[in-house]
């Protein structure tokens, strides 16, 4: 398995892969790989000749310094997990911060037509500038045909699609279903930081989302939201940051329910200082 740290070397390799008319799939990650990431890589392996997996903890997308510091870094383990999927068809790109940002660790200010101002953008100012900057940079280096993102970060997925549209990149962005633990908890590298008690409590998030979906079939968004807020008061280890029912295209909160529109419910919850997000398609 090839592991590259330098952007020049990986670009060279990809250039020769493409010269042989081979397709390149890309799965950008921040490492601490779990079954959800591996599902993305497996799908990418099915659909491409070569798959590049980047492992880079991107400093500009963290709004809290402690969150960045505590983010798990497990490159050796990540490499072994990927080796088990394929020894020959995966290339790992694990660059340094300097390789991606040069001397100045600064995000670009990108206009995603307002998608960046909703939900995660509101509660984590600057987050999507950081995500957009690093994904744009990685796309330039890897130059993939197809790029794979999980729907757990649904807003991120819509933003990446917008990035590709705005910068006229010929990359096919593919969203993949949320991968869940047996309890229903959406897989996330942050789950590793949860205590057993917190993890058990966090399984309520998906249960509440599923009931919210059922209720939304016959109730207003306001009624469903009020129910969710009340439900979280029963869960002492969880603190609801937001619950929102939004139009999937604009990500703006629902105004009046219309059966011509597609909605999704989005949620962010704290278990102590660990922030968990999830979402569910409603119609
Ligand atoms: O979803 C993630 O892990 C990150 O936001 C990404 C896309 C790898 C950019 O750092």
């Amino acid at each position: 398995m090839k592991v590259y740290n330098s952007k020049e070397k990986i670009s060279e390799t990809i250039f020769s892969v493409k010269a042989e008319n081979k397709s390149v799939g890309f799965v950008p990650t921040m490492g601490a790989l779990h079954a959800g990431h591996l599902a993305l890589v497996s799908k990418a392996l099915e659909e491409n000749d070569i798959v590049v997996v980047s492992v880079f903890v991107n400093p500009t997308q963290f709004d809290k310094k402690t969150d960045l510091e505590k983010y798990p870094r497990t490159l050796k383990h990540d490499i072994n997990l990927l080796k088990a999927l394929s020894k020959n068809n995966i290339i790992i790109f694990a660059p340094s911060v300097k390789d991606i940002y040069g001397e100045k660790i600064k995000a670009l200010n990108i206009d995603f037509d307002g998608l960046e101002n909703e939900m995660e953008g509101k509660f984590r100012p600057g987050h999507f500038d950081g995500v957009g900057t690093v994904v744009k940079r990685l796309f330039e280096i890897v130059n993939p045909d197809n790029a794979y993102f999980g729907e757990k970060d649904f807003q991120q997925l819509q933003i990446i699609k917008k990035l590709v549209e705005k910068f006229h990149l010929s990359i096919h962005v593919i969203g993949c279903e949320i991968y869940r633990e047996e309890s229903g908890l959406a897989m996330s590298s942050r789950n590793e930081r949860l205590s057993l008690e917190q993890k058990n409590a966090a399984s309520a998030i998906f249960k509440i989302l599923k009931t919210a979906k059922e209720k939304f079939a016959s109730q207003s968004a306001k009624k469903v939201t009020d129910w969710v807020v009340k439900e979280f008061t029963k869960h002492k280890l969880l603190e609801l940051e937001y619950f929102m029912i939004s139009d999937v295209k604009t990500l703006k909160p629902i105004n009046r329910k219309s059966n011509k529109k597609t909605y999704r419910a989005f949620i962010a919850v704290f278990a102590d200082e660990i922030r968990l997000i999830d979402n569910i398609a409603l119609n």
Side-chain angles (χ1 to χ4, degrees), residues 53-179:
V53 179
S54 63
V55 176
F56 179 67
V57 181
N58 174 33
T60 63
Q61 72 185 76
F62 288 83
D63 53 331
K64 287 197 187 107
K65 213 173 153 213
T66 51
D67 219 12
L68 170 62
E69 282 162 6
K70 287 191 180 164
Y71 205 86
R73 287 155 171 90
T74 56
L75 184 60
K76 262 198 184 149
H77 186 239
D78 294 343
I79 293 173
N80 287 333
L81 289 174
L82 293 170
K83 252 189 207 160
L85 286 186
S86 165
K87 280 204 180 70
N88 301 321
N89 297 334
I90 298 178
I91 297 174
I92 299 174
F93 180 42
S96 67
V97 172
K98 199 170 168 199
D99 229 342
I100 296 295
Y101 286 99
E103 296 302 332
K104 241 190 186 166
I105 306 175
K106 203 172 180 310
L108 307 168
N109 190 240
I110 309 175
D111 172 9
F112 295 105
D113 291 348
L115 292 177
E116 73 280 23
N117 299 326
E118 307 298 330
M119 300 178 293
E120 291 301 284
K122 221 175 246 164
F123 288 89
R124 303 178 67 189
H127 172 66
F128 288 118
D129 279 339
V131 171
T133 303
V134 78
V135 173
K136 182 170 177 289
R137 189 81 197 97
L138 290 167
F139 278 175
E140 284 159 3
I141 297 167
V142 176
N143 188 21
D145 299 290
N146 301 305
Y148 298 79
F149 294 83
E151 285 186 343
K152 182 178 77 70
D153 298 291
F154 191 86
Q155 187 173 11
Q156 168 173 281
L157 170 65
Q158 300 300 70
I159 279 179
I160 302 301
K161 286 183 179 165
K162 185 63 78 181
L163 178 91
V164 163
E165 180 192 312
K166 288 233 154 181
F167 290 93
H168 310 289
L169 308 175
S170 54
I171 298 170
H172 187 206
V173 176
I174 297 155
C176 305
E177 263 181 39
I178 300 175
Y179 213 79

Side-chain angles (χ1 to χ4, degrees), residues 21 35 52 84 104 130 168 189 216-217:
N21 257 332
V52 177
K104 241 190 186 166
H168 310 289
S189 307
F216 186 70

